[in-house]
Amino acid sequence: MTAKGNELLALAGILLCSSSWVSAVNDNSLLWLWQCDSSKETCSRLANESNTSADSTLYPSLETCRLVCGKYGALWPQPTIGTELGNKLFTFSVSSVKFIYPPQEGDVKTYLQEITKLFINSISAEDTSDCSELTNTVTVNLDVLSENTDLNWNTSESYSLQIATDGNKNSVKISSNTIFGARHALETLSQLINSYPNNDGSKCLVILEEAKISDVPTYPHRGLLLDTARNFQSVASIKKHIDGMAYSKLNVLHWHITDSQSFPLELPKLPNMTKYGAYSADKIYHPDDVKELVSYAKLRGVKIIIEIDAPSHSGNGWQWGSNAGLGNLAVCVNQQPHRSYCIQPPCGQLNPINPKLYEVLKDLYDDIITMIPKNEVFHMGGDEVYIPCWNSTPEIIDYLGNKSRTTDTFLDLWSDYQSKALEAYDAVVGNSNTPIILWTSHLTQVEVIEKYLPKERYIIQTWVPAADNLPQNLLDLGYRIIVSTKDAWYLDHGFWGTTTYHNWRNVYNNKIPSSDATLGGEACMWGEYVDDSSVESRVWPRAAAVAERLWTNPTTSDTEAEQRFYRHRERLVSRGIKAEALIPRWCYQNEGECQ
């Protein structure tokens, strides 16, 4: 090291490091240094010069500075109960990390062993070389109280995390009620680590010497909707979203898997659904694909809820009924002009008066429940039923006979469909306890919902603008809700029609009603204008802004969160998520200068 480099070490490196620190402040390799302003919780970029103030705390990278700058450092989402982060760093290599598991063999230990592999993969994304010459060690002790491995709205996801250092030994203690709390704790721990350059050009890892974190999510349902019916998305692409969800502590993938455009889900009992409804033979989700994704997601703390939208949004895939001697399973399929028969082409609605339909639905539900965990929540869709379709269908008009064809008449018909569809579902599941989710619609308006939908059974997913009082009105009636605020959390907006793009600040600042009956919310990526080539950057990192709203529900605004959010975007990118750029690189490197 040069004399100039030694001088800078004396001025800065020793100030921020413990005895275990390996410094890399070197004027030959580092042009910039970063200084933490504790009062503003920002890291300022400074030129690496010998006259740098001796009173400064300097770091060789913004990412290292961000680890210790501010109450929450680089953590995303912000912990909810207590956070104490030290300002000294401990150097280690990936190979030095050891895990201590509970002694009992079983599903819990197996899960923990698998998620620690994912943890190593995450921190390895921050590392470029193995610093095997170091004698420093990091030991992670995992303590899980419950042997239950189910993930549902009642699952405890809380955890505590403590880090302490003694000489060349860094010890991490993780305590949680369930394996999912432990998973979240490991995600938090990975965010307390990043790479650090050594004098020889290699990069080791650094972790905080001390930390204490207690954390629990505010809402149990923290979701992302993916629509893979308008445009097919590959299994590999869906896995990337699940990865992003895990990194951000979202826990529900709402899979809108079918629509009037296509029916890509293979059903062994109903092969005609994909024969008539899939775009092509290579754009089909096979049962093993679904099971693989369910398993992949669970390992990352995510459950998958499948939606079969009906009775509307049901066209292609349903045309085969007449040829099979079952009558019209759906009506108005691909009818034109579409404005006379549906909201969006191609049209199609199930035929509520055909008794054979409900036998087909039994087979459909029976196939689906073999792909998902027992008693898993199911989404029956239920939005945008277009009354003019049914009102222009001769067999439905004949069925109604002398009844006046008013809105109430068709709501009764719609309700009759919903009751029979639920009865079909319960028959194959074998109980009447599975929670059913429905979108808000004419059937869920406060004036009529209690007549049609029992609050003990149905959860209502609202998709109205933020100014609409419907979510609160449904809560007042005693319904449980999931919120997808249309003018904040619809990530497809801004790319079609007169819709407006909702940037991450709009997304972050959107608040939902606080109530025990508010299960949580979802960001929605509708699929008309995305496929594998574009969907990642449309979703990420904006979905991560939803994640902090649903995990933390912070009282502070986007301004206080922006430095952590920019760092999280970089983290997503380093882990393979193609998250869109939020600001010029200069603004990222000069925190607080572009507000």
Side-chain angles (χ1 to χ4, degrees):
M1 178 176 286
T2 64
K4 183 177 180 181
N6 280 322
E7 180 182 5
L8 189 56
L9 239 181
L11 295 176
I14 304 227
L15 233 165
L16 64 92
C17 303
S18 71
S19 58
S20 59
W21 178 260
V22 177
S23 177
V25 178
N26 186 316
D27 61 333
N28 292 323
S29 59
L30 298 174
L31 180 62
W32 304 102
L33 299 172
W34 276 262
Q35 169 189 341
C36 176
D37 184 333
S38 299
S39 63
K40 295 180 180 179
E41 298 192 351
T42 58
C43 293
S44 301
R45 188 171 67 158
L46 306 173
N48 184 354
E49 297 175 350
S50 59
N51 62 350
T52 305
S53 170
D55 295 329
S56 300
T57 300
L58 301 175
Y59 300 88
S61 70
L62 172 59
E63 290 72 24
T64 308
C65 180
R66 174 83 353 242
L67 280 181
V68 299
C69 196
K71 180 177 180 180
Y72 300 106
L75 297 178
W76 195 274
Q78 174 183 310
T80 57
I81 300 176
T83 306
E84 297 177 23
L85 304 180
N87 61 0
K88 294 182 179 180
L89 302 172
F90 179 90
T91 309
F92 71 103
S93 66
V94 171
S95 62
S96 72
V97 181
K98 309 298 179 187
F99 299 96
I100 300 176
Y101 304 101
Q104 303 89 344
E105 299 295 329
D107 292 343
V108 168
K109 186 173 183 178
T110 299
Y111 185 93
L112 293 176
Q113 290 171 332
E114 292 301 314
I115 63 175
T116 53
K117 294 177 185 176
L118 298 180
F119 168 80
I120 292 297
N121 288 341
S122 290
I123 65 172
S124 295
E126 296 284 345
D127 195 20
T128 59
S129 60
D130 186 8
C131 303
S132 56
E133 73 280 1
L134 292 176
T135 59
N136 297 347
T137 62
V138 175
T139 302
V140 183
N141 191 312
L142 296 148
D143 181 24
V144 176
L145 298 179
S146 173
E147 295 184 2
N148 191 320
T149 59
D150 294 333
L151 179 58
N152 53 51
W153 291 319
N154 296 316
T155 299
S156 171
E157 298 177 87
S158 64
Y159 69 89
S160 65
L161 184 156
Q162 294 187 37
I163 303 176
T165 299
D166 183 8
N168 68 342
K169 296 180 180 179
N170 182 280
S171 300
V172 181
K173 182 178 180 180
I174 288 173
S175 299
S176 63
N177 291 320
T178 70
I179 55 176
F180 302 104
R183 196 224 71 84
H184 296 321
L186 285 172
E187 176 56 43
T188 297
L189 181 62
S190 75
Q191 297 180 10
L192 299 175
I193 295 169
N194 62 245
S195 60
Y196 186 87
N198 291 304
N199 293 331
D200 60 3
S202 66
K203 289 185 179 180
C204 293
L205 295 177
V206 288
I207 185 173
L208 299 190
E209 281 200 351
E210 296 180 330
K212 290 182 180 180
I213 297 172
S214 296
D215 201 6
V216 61
T218 302
Y219 296 103
H221 186 108
R222 306 180 304 281
L224 169 66
L225 176 145
L226 280 184
D227 167 13
T228 64
R230 273 55 180 262
N231 281 302
F232 185 85
Q233 295 179 39
S234 67
V235 170
S237 177
I238 296 171
K239 285 182 177 180
K240 293 292 287 296
H241 293 292
I242 294 172
D243 291 341
M245 295 173 70
Y247 302 147
S248 307
K249 298 193 178 83
L250 291 169
N251 69 344
V252 177
L253 176 64
H254 173 173
W255 193 356
H256 185 89
I257 197 169
T258 67
D259 211 288
S260 58
Q261 289 86 355
S262 77
F263 198 108
L265 177 61
E266 180 186 29
L267 301 174
K269 291 185 177 180
L270 300 170
N272 279 335
M273 302 303 286
T274 49
K275 179 180 179 181
Y276 284 80
Y279 286 131
S280 62
D282 64 340
K283 290 180 169 52
I284 292 175
Y285 302 108
H286 304 286
D288 286 346
D289 293 330
V290 177
K291 293 174 184 177
E292 178 187 353
L293 284 169
V294 168
S295 177
Y296 187 91
K298 184 176 181 179
L299 195 57
R300 290 155 179 80
V302 176
K303 65 183 292 182
I304 293 180
I305 295 177
I306 288 179
E307 177 190 352
I308 303 294
D309 203 353
S312 187
H313 293 276
S314 303
N316 289 285
W318 293 92
Q319 310 99 311
W320 53 273
S322 293
N323 291 339
L326 301 178
N328 290 321
L329 300 174
V331 296
C332 308
V333 178
N334 298 330
Q335 287 274 56
Q336 290 289 354
H338 80 268
R339 288 291 184 188
S340 299
Y341 301 98
C342 64
I343 303 296
Q344 178 192 71
C347 299
Q349 289 184 182
L350 297 185
N351 184 359
I353 68 168
N354 182 354
K356 297 294 184 181
L357 169 66
Y358 303 100
E359 296 303 314
V360 172
L361 285 176
K362 282 185 180 180
D363 287 339
L364 184 152
Y365 298 146
D366 200 22
D367 278 342
I368 288 176
I369 65 173
T370 65
M371 306 178 200
I372 60 178
K374 187 177 180 180
N375 299 324
E376 186 59 274
V377 176
F378 187 65
H379 203 305
M380 288 190 171
D383 62 321
E384 295 185 326
V385 167
Y386 202 63
I387 290 176
C389 166
W390 285 345
N391 198 22
S392 63
T393 302
E395 63 184 288
I396 293 178
I397 294 172
D398 291 343
Y399 173 84
L400 293 175
N402 295 327
K403 289 184 180 179
S404 58
R405 301 206 303 270
T406 64
T407 298
D408 287 344
T409 300
F410 284 102
L411 288 181
D412 289 342
L413 182 63
W414 182 357
S415 173
D416 185 55
Y417 159 82
Q418 186 58 46
S419 296
K420 290 177 179 177
L422 182 62
E423 183 180 344
Y425 188 86
D426 289 346
V428 298
V429 172
N431 65 58
S432 57
N433 300 318
T434 304
I436 301 297
I437 304 174
L438 289 177
W439 292 106
T440 48
S441 65
H442 293 299
L443 210 60
T444 67
Q445 293 301 307
V446 292
E447 299 83 6
V448 300
I449 186 172
E450 291 179 294
K451 175 183 176 182
Y452 296 125
L453 302 172
K455 61 193 69 173
E456 298 79 15
R457 191 65 193 279
Y458 287 100
I459 294 98
I460 309 303
Q461 184 166 3
T462 65
W463 58 289
V464 295
D468 196 309
N469 290 325
L470 181 59
Q472 186 59 54
N473 291 339
L474 291 172
L475 290 171
D476 292 342
L477 289 176
Y479 286 88
R480 292 171 291 171
I481 66 170
I482 296 166
V483 180
S484 293
T485 310
K486 190 175 184 179
D487 55 354
W489 289 355
Y490 267 37
L491 305 182
D492 61 307
H493 280 195
F495 298 93
W496 59 272
T498 59
T499 57
T500 300
Y501 178 85
H502 314 304
N503 65 32
W504 81 268
R505 296 180 187 276
N506 304 135
V507 171
Y508 185 86
N509 291 328
N510 179 59
K511 296 182 179 181
I512 64 177
S514 295
S515 168
D516 290 340
T518 302
L519 298 176
E522 291 180 1
C524 298
M525 186 66 254
W526 297 106
E528 287 90 341
Y529 302 100
V530 291
D531 58 16
D532 279 8
S533 66
S534 59
V535 67
E536 275 184 67
S537 62
R538 295 279 179 91
V539 172
W540 302 103
R542 289 186 294 161
V546 178
E548 179 152 299
R549 174 57 55 195
L550 294 173
W551 181 281
T552 312
N553 198 22
T555 57
T556 51
S557 71
D558 60 281
T559 302
E560 287 84 355
E562 67 178 15
Q563 314 307 341
R564 290 185 299 107
F565 190 67
Y566 296 154
R567 174 65 186 107
H568 188 60
R569 184 265 173 182
E570 297 298 311
R571 182 184 297 123
L572 291 172
V573 171
S574 72
R575 296 181 184 181
I577 305 298
K578 294 179 181 178
E580 71 176 345
L582 300 170
I583 49 174
R585 190 72 182 175
W586 188 92
C587 296
Y588 172 69
Q589 292 184 333
N590 293 268
E591 292 188 350
E593 296 297 323
C594 296
Q595 290 179 349

